[in-house]
Amino acid sequence: MYDQPLPDDILFYMLYGGVAVLTFVASCYLLFRRGNAFAQDITTPIRLRRWTAAFFAAMTLSHLWYLPTAFADAGDEAKLYIYVGAILDFLLVIPLAGIILLVMLQDRRRRLWPIAAFMVPLAAGALWCLISGSDELVPPLYIYMTVVSVIYIIYVVRAQRQYSRWLRDNYADLEHKEVWQCYVVMAFIFFVFGYYVFANQAKPYEYVVQISVAILVCFLLWRVETLSDLSISQPLSADEEAVPDEEEMMEDDELSQNAIETIGPLLQEFCIDKQLYLQHDLALSQLAKTIGTNRYYLSQYFSCQGMTYNTYINDLRVNHFISLYRETIATGHFTTAQQLAYDSGYKSYSTFSLAFKQRMGQTVTSWMREFEGNSE
């Protein structure tokens, strides 16, 4: 399974050692540095930093373990290193890689132990191959590994979709919260591992693996630094977390018409009239507390209206931008679209552009050009 010899040249040894140093430094950075070096205005999840640091540390140990195979003869000694290294990978590197993808999703804490449990048969199979000196189990291990990978990919995709819905139900600003990047991480991990295990021996083989690992480490560092910690962005009180009693709820978890009629005017008074929607990073729980209701009822209200919280706030912000732009044209004062977007509640112009296109069906530039043409 892991019988690919290392290229016999100094350039590769330098690359291999450089990647080992990179993973070690990245692990120490995430463990011991307080705050971010690249995105200093963002507080990242401590849990994600620690799991990612553990993953980098495991990769460092894996690199150090496999290094002697470069100097060992292609015999029992090299085979010993390779199979023991495979066992360590199955028990440490691969499970930690899978755990990182789930820890990125902050809607709830998912069980992590099944990932390690699925790797135990692979480690046991590699151990049996080592003890017996036979490779008879290698084909079944390949099949098992493929099946587990497919199951895990399906699970992660479903979890990502659930998380995306949760974000749109609870946050107006999705910048530094969306985790579509987890698909990129997953693709890199499976590419590196699949190429590492299944690729035929070739001259560029080992170089491709090491360069891919270096890219993965850098990308993970960037992702950890730029992912907001949602556990502190919306502190919840006990009342907000409490689930309403059954007597307070209608069948199918729908709000009564009376509750809907109550929340609507409250939103008009506190969110629209007082322009609370202009507040950056406004969360559903904060809005619920402001209007005197709990998060559950407010979320159900938006659901009954056929929209998400994210859609509601972005519609108000886009309408505010349109009003500001019309006022700018009428008064003849020049202001950039970026500044107007910021004044409308958006910290990121790219986020505003996407919201505007979804709301108006055309780009900001096209709409502005059309509006100016009609105003002449």
Side-chain angles (χ1 to χ4, degrees):
M1 184 185 301
Y2 293 86
D3 54 354
Q4 319 294 353
L6 293 172
D8 188 20
D9 61 77
I10 189 64
L11 180 61
F12 175 79
Y13 297 143
M14 293 175 61
L15 174 63
Y16 189 87
V19 173
V21 171
L22 176 64
T23 56
F24 176 74
V25 171
S27 178
C28 292
Y29 167 78
L30 292 179
L31 279 178
F32 302 114
R33 179 180 173 85
R34 294 184 178 180
N36 296 337
F38 309 111
Q40 298 180 3
D41 59 330
I42 297 174
T43 301
T44 58
I46 296 298
R47 187 166 177 251
L48 177 60
R49 291 181 72 93
R50 290 173 178 172
W51 279 114
T52 307
F55 173 63
F56 290 155
M59 292 182 70
T60 303
L61 292 175
S62 178
H63 272 71
L64 294 177
W65 178 264
Y66 282 116
L67 186 59
T69 61
F71 307 101
D73 295 331
D76 293 339
E77 184 179 358
K79 198 171 186 179
L80 171 65
Y81 275 104
I82 290 170
Y83 273 110
V84 173
I87 295 172
L88 294 176
D89 287 344
F90 288 141
L91 294 179
L92 293 176
V93 178
I94 300 174
L96 287 171
I99 286 173
I100 289 173
L101 296 179
L102 296 184
V103 174
M104 286 184 182
L105 310 178
Q106 301 181 66
D107 53 334
R108 59 187 175 89
R109 290 204 173 193
R110 293 170 172 82
R111 295 178 180 178
L112 303 179
W113 62 264
I115 298 177
F118 278 120
M119 291 295 105
V120 170
L122 291 172
L127 180 60
W128 186 88
C129 291
L130 175 64
I131 296 175
S132 65
S134 172
D135 294 333
E136 293 179 358
L137 279 185
V138 171
L141 290 179
Y142 280 159
I143 297 174
Y144 177 82
M145 190 185 316
T146 302
V147 172
V148 170
S149 299
V150 171
I151 293 174
Y152 179 75
I153 290 174
I154 294 173
Y155 177 78
V156 170
V157 170
R158 290 187 60 188
Q160 164 66 16
R161 294 182 63 183
Q162 293 173 353
Y163 182 67
S164 295
R165 289 194 295 268
W166 178 80
L167 283 176
R168 285 167 173 76
D169 287 338
N170 289 275
Y171 293 92
D173 302 281
L174 301 183
E175 187 182 15
H176 303 314
K177 299 178 180 66
E178 283 281 24
V179 289
W180 59 266
Q181 292 91 343
C182 82
Y183 290 129
V184 179
V185 176
M186 182 168 61
F188 259 111
I189 290 173
F190 278 100
F191 169 76
V192 172
F193 181 68
Y195 198 63
Y196 178 48
V197 176
F198 296 106
N200 293 324
Q201 182 178 351
K203 186 174 182 179
Y205 164 76
E206 299 287 352
Y207 290 93
V208 171
V209 171
Q210 298 307 315
I211 293 173
S212 299
V213 170
I215 295 174
L216 175 61
V217 171
C218 295
F219 185 86
L220 273 176
L221 274 177
W222 174 82
R223 179 66 274 186
V224 171
E225 290 256 312
T226 57
L227 184 62
S228 297
D229 186 354
L230 303 186
S231 66
I232 64 173
S233 63
Q234 60 154 6
L236 302 177
S237 65
D239 292 338
E240 288 176 308
E241 285 291 347
V243 177
D245 296 333
E246 293 183 2
E247 297 179 357
E248 300 175 353
M249 300 164 56
M250 294 183 62
E251 293 182 359
D252 300 328
D253 292 332
E254 293 183 354
L255 286 177
S256 65
Q257 186 63 34
N258 181 55
I260 293 176
E261 293 174 354
T262 300
I263 290 179
L266 289 173
L267 288 174
Q268 179 67 43
E269 177 183 356
F270 292 97
C271 187
I272 300 177
D273 294 344
K274 296 184 179 181
Q275 298 185 331
L276 184 63
Y277 59 87
L278 298 180
Q279 176 182 319
H280 294 149
D281 292 323
L282 179 65
L284 177 77
S285 59
Q286 295 170 313
L287 179 57
K289 187 175 182 179
T290 300
I291 68 174
T293 186
N294 69 31
R295 191 176 62 173
Y296 172 82
Y297 281 124
L298 186 56
S299 177
Q300 288 296 305
Y301 168 82
F302 290 125
S303 179
C304 289
Q305 301 302 309
M307 67 175 69
T308 64
Y309 170 70
N310 178 266
T311 302
Y312 172 77
I313 296 296
N314 277 295
D315 283 351
L316 293 176
R317 289 176 172 176
V318 170
N319 290 337
H320 188 83
F321 171 88
I322 293 173
S323 297
L324 290 180
Y325 187 75
R326 286 174 175 169
E327 181 180 342
T328 299
I329 295 297
T331 58
H333 293 108
F334 175 76
T335 306
T336 64
Q338 288 81 356
Q339 182 60 47
L340 292 179
Y342 185 85
D343 294 339
S344 300
Y346 293 97
K347 290 195 295 185
S348 168
Y349 186 77
S350 60
T351 301
F352 161 72
S353 298
L354 179 60
F356 188 94
K357 187 173 183 179
Q358 291 175 341
R359 172 73 171 80
M360 303 299 293
Q362 59 185 141
T363 64
V364 181
T365 304
S366 298
W367 179 86
M368 292 169 62
R369 189 183 302 114
E370 181 180 313
F371 179 81
E372 292 174 3
N374 295 333
S375 300
E376 295 178 354

